Amino acid sequence: MQDILNDIVKAMNASTDRGQVADYIPQLAAIDPNQFGITVALPDGQVFSAGCAQKPFSIQSISKVFSLTLALGKIGDAVWAKVGREPSGDPFNSIVQLEHEHGKPRNPFINAGAIAIVDAIMMGHEPKELLAEILSFVRYIANDNSISIDEKVAQSELATGHRNSSLAHFMASFGNIEHDVDCVLGAYYHQCSIAMSCEQLAQAGLFLVSEGTNKSTGSRVVSSARARRINSLMLMCGHYDGSGEFAYRVGLPGKSGVGGGILAIAPNKASIAVWSPGLDKIGNSKLGTQALEMLVERTGWSIF
Ligand code: GLU
């Protein structure tokens, strides 16, 4: 495994076409695109890493997997009254579909869906309390109490999040946001601004590898049925309107973020985190996807 990861890092470091860093969040626009890291965490506790795998980056939309998990734990199937379970086929921040579908986002991983999920789990709490809950959940599943929120990224998103504000207000007009819109958005931006390294992220994904239990720590996080369903949503919806392309090229449940990270799950085999800040046109990590493609070719881990 270490040889495979070393080969991947060598190939990625030689790449001249690294995509574009997200520039609509000013704090992310300043990130050096010449970075690449990868970690493979196995259920037996072994961890293999190469490149900048210990450097924290903004996990952005990957956090939506964790908030969905939390929401399912708190309100169960009531989640599906607020968001759907279908791929959107539209960009991550699209407002068009919301009008046709009366303010109910297609799935929990597009921005509108994730904002609705934050509203669902706020349950009358202050945004700070909810954030503490999300952060402590992430620390628990990653088994790492040093994980924190990058306040500068959160403020940068707050200052420029006109599109997300529109989505949230639009949903509120349909009655699909119950709390104060600014409070919901504040919590959403902070959740997206959690900073994690590939090593921390791969650890956090381990519960999805082994039917809801992190076998390396022995902690059961969700039931096996729930883990299976979260994986299916990641497969169908985890890469926005690039989900079909990711399934075609990589063939694993995965979730990307505009910070350039991807968490991919090879069921019963491994949790994989990659990071390279340059994105393709859809907003998914360009080299991260290539690296996962190389990894599944070498390991045969595609689920297909
Ligand atoms: N915080 C980002 C936003 O709301 C998340 C988008 C992403 O990672 O795809 O635009």
Side-chain angles (χ1 to χ4, degrees):
M1 181 53 68
Q2 193 60 53
D3 288 345
I4 295 175
L5 298 191
N6 291 346
D7 288 351
I8 290 173
V9 166
K10 209 167 156 196
M12 295 306 127
N13 285 348
S15 174
T16 47
D17 186 4
R18 309 183 76 87
Q20 302 289 322
V21 295
D23 55 7
Y24 76 101
I25 300 173
Q27 199 66 25
L28 296 184
I31 307 281
D32 174 8
N34 296 310
Q35 305 182 80
F36 177 85
I38 183 164
T39 294
V40 170
L42 305 184
D44 67 5
Q46 290 189 81
V47 177
F48 299 90
S49 290
C52 318
Q54 278 141 13
K55 185 160 179 190
F57 59 89
S58 193
I59 65 166
Q60 291 293 317
S61 280
I62 302 168
S63 65
K64 297 171 183 175
V65 175
F66 308 136
S67 53
L68 172 67
T69 306
L70 207 54
L72 287 167
K74 285 182 132 192
I75 63 169
D77 283 344
V79 162
W80 308 121
K82 289 192 74 97
V83 299
R85 303 192 287 258
E86 294 293 341
S88 71
D90 272 327
F92 66 101
N93 57 2
S94 171
I95 201 163
V96 181
Q97 217 163 42
L98 265 186
E99 176 154 31
H100 288 299
E101 296 177 2
H102 308 290
K104 182 175 175 179
R106 271 280 171 103
N107 66 65
F109 294 153
I110 50 175
N111 284 8
I115 293 167
I117 292 288
V118 168
D119 180 60
I121 55 179
M122 200 165 249
M123 301 170 107
H125 293 300
E126 291 293 318
K128 271 193 175 158
E129 289 171 318
L130 176 61
L131 274 175
E133 194 173 357
I134 295 174
L135 191 59
S136 67
F137 178 65
V138 172
R139 287 174 171 172
Y140 166 67
I141 56 173
N143 195 25
D144 188 333
N145 280 333
S146 69
I147 294 166
S148 60
I149 291 172
D150 185 333
E151 188 58 35
K152 278 194 188 146
V153 174
Q155 291 307 327
S156 187
E157 291 205 57
L158 259 167
T160 55
H162 306 298
R163 177 73 73 116
N164 285 325
S165 297
S166 310
L167 294 171
H169 281 287
F170 200 60
M171 286 189 286
S173 77
F174 284 100
N176 200 15
I177 295 288
E178 289 160 36
H179 298 84
D180 177 81
V181 169
D182 289 335
C183 289
V184 173
L185 285 168
Y188 167 75
Y189 290 134
H190 282 80
Q191 166 203 302
C192 290
S193 302
I194 295 175
M196 291 169 84
S197 66
C198 288
E199 290 193 348
Q200 291 167 327
L201 195 55
Q203 292 285 349
L206 271 175
F207 76 97
L208 292 169
V209 175
S210 308
E211 302 184 358
T213 298
N214 180 336
K215 283 195 174 161
S216 73
T217 58
S219 41
R220 172 164 287 284
V221 180
V222 293
S223 68
S224 62
R226 195 157 274 167
R228 173 164 48 85
R229 288 170 172 151
I230 295 168
N231 274 317
S232 73
L233 283 160
M234 288 170 74
L235 180 75
M236 299 304 290
C237 317
H239 281 71
Y240 311 116
D241 44 341
S243 298
E245 180 72 7
F246 186 80
Y248 180 85
R249 288 174 59 190
V250 178
L252 293 176
K255 183 74 205 84
S256 67
V258 293
I262 302 176
L263 172 64
I265 304 299
N268 300 312
K269 296 196 169 69
S271 169
I272 308 141
V274 278
W275 172 55
S276 175
L279 309 178
D280 62 18
K281 287 199 179 70
I282 287 173
N284 300 314
S285 175
K286 189 166 181 143
L287 294 191
T289 309
Q290 279 175 26
L292 288 167
E293 207 173 0
M294 258 182 97
L295 182 71
V296 295
E297 272 165 20
R298 295 276 295 266
T299 56
W301 279 350
S302 164
I303 61 170
F304 299 107

